[in-house]
Amino acid sequence: MDDYTNLINSSPLVMVEFYATWCPHCRRMMPVVAQVRELLGDNAKIYQLDIDRDTEAADKAGVSGVPTFIIYRDGNPVWQYSGEIDGNVLLKKLQSFMG
């Protein structure tokens, strides 16, 4: 199994954000994602992958723009969104896949 497969199966609920250090939208999302991670605690794993360093994972996930958010439930993609997103919307989306 490759690293990305292990990552998305590391918890029943996983969100991966693909970002780039040069992307202003990604930079604006950083504190939002940090807050969502804090609010969710152990209920979900949240990973942030740099598309310039994790090109294999980005290719595997079919990422074409940044930031891209993908939520996995039991290793399967259940939701994907590209672009800036309100933190409350992101939190509610993650919570909708819990339990």
Side-chain angles (χ1 to χ4, degrees), residues 37-93:
R37 179 186 284 126
E38 198 175 299
L39 291 167
L40 287 173
D42 295 332
N43 292 313
K45 293 258 188 239
I46 297 178
Y47 298 101
Q48 292 170 292
L49 301 180
D50 183 335
I51 60 160
D52 294 321
R53 279 195 305 226
D54 297 294
T55 51
E56 201 176 301
D59 290 346
K60 191 172 172 87
V63 173
S64 56
V66 285
T68 291
F69 301 91
I70 306 173
I71 296 175
Y72 294 90
R73 182 153 174 79
D74 300 320
N76 298 306
V78 290
W79 182 81
Q80 184 167 336
Y81 182 85
S82 292
E84 288 187 52
I85 185 169
D86 182 85
N88 289 324
V89 173
L90 193 57
L91 181 65
K92 283 184 174 56
K93 189 52 75 174

